[in-house]
Amino acid sequence: DAGVIQSPRHEVTEMGQEVTLRCKPISGHDYLFWYRQTMMRGLELLIYFNNNVPIDDSGMPEDRFSAKMPNASFSTLKIQPSEPRDSAVYFCASREQGGDYGYTFGSGTRLTVV
Amino acid sequence: AQTVTQSQPEMSVQEAETVTLSCTYDTSESNYYLFWYKQPPSRQMILVIRQEAYKQQNATENRFSVNFQKAAKSFSLKISDSQLGDTAMYFCAFRKVQGGSEKLVFGKGTKLTVNP
């Protein structure tokens, strides 16, 4: 398996622009998680899905952030409009049903908003 | 509140030596899962080792082992025969389940440098 695939690897955008981050989970994994990593706050969960349904979005910082999972093999995290404080590394992770509950992470997207 | 604390922001070790990274956590649950993740400069988050609290035996994965002290809520990672490729940030994580929701809660991390 190719693992969790995220794109793009790097994104530089201007303040006010829309940004879309993409994720393909491991085939057969029923859970998908979006995390954000910053120096100040560390790794924090934004939202997660089970069988394509959003379960907990309490970590989404504000209405500018939205996430979708239209099918089992694809998810997006969108920021509109983007702000400089959104600059961070965004990780997608997935796990299978049951098991040992370990998450497999993608390589992350480094977002810079200027 | 369930938190994960890593008290060592940075550590260094000589190649081939042994190093132990500390982690403490806070929970009122009786069964739970704990993890150590490695994040090298490439940024990839790599699962190193996992421990189920219900199991008394400490987990081991090749050169990586844990010292799990449930009563003390301590979960340290020991790296034996350190290699240059072990240089990375190491994050301790606790699987929190509450109200039908779950997430991994991460500590702030320990930056480990292996010196030649």
Side-chain angles (χ1 to χ4, degrees), chain A residues 18-104:
Chain A
E18 177 180 294
V19 177
T20 300
L21 311 182
R22 297 172 175 79
C23 175
K24 176 180 169 56
I26 291 174
S27 177
H29 280 197
D30 297 320
Y31 290 81
L32 184 141
F33 305 84
W34 282 100
Y35 274 80
R36 179 170 68 176
Q37 184 179 33
T38 61
M39 289 296 293
M40 291 296 295
R41 299 175 66 88
L43 282 150
E44 50 184 351
L45 178 68
L46 300 177
I47 185 172
Y48 83 93
F49 297 82
N50 180 19
N51 291 322
N52 313 337
V53 177
I55 303 300
D56 185 350
D57 65 355
S58 60
M60 296 285 263
E62 47 197 279
D63 292 344
R64 297 184 298 105
F65 286 69
S66 63
K68 295 182 180 180
M69 192 165 186
N71 56 62
S73 60
F74 184 66
S75 177
T76 59
L77 178 67
K78 185 177 294 186
I79 308 172
Q80 167 62 22
S82 57
E83 297 182 3
R85 59 194 169 117
D86 301 331
S87 296
V89 178
Y90 291 82
F91 285 102
C92 176
S94 69
R95 75 164 180 87
E96 59 187 343
Q97 184 79 21
D100 58 19
Y101 302 107
Y103 299 178
T104 301

Side-chain angles (χ1 to χ4, degrees), chain B residues 26-88:
Chain B
D26 183 29
T27 182
S28 57
E29 299 172 22
S30 59
N31 194 30
Y32 44 87
Y33 290 80
L34 294 159
F35 305 86
W36 278 98
Y37 278 84
K38 167 185 177 181
Q39 186 177 40
S42 66
R43 198 170 74 206
Q44 179 82 42
M45 291 285 289
I46 302 166
L47 178 60
V48 174
I49 199 165
R50 60 179 68 85
Q51 175 81 42
E52 183 179 0
Y54 189 74
K55 296 181 179 178
Q56 296 297 316
Q57 187 172 6
N58 289 325
T60 299
E61 291 286 343
N62 301 313
R63 297 183 295 107
F64 297 87
S65 61
V66 298
N67 183 8
F68 174 50
Q69 302 290 327
K70 190 174 184 180
K73 297 180 182 177
S74 172
F75 183 59
S76 60
L77 175 69
K78 186 172 81 170
I79 306 174
S80 304
D81 185 25
S82 297
Q83 300 176 0
L84 297 179
D86 296 333
T87 292

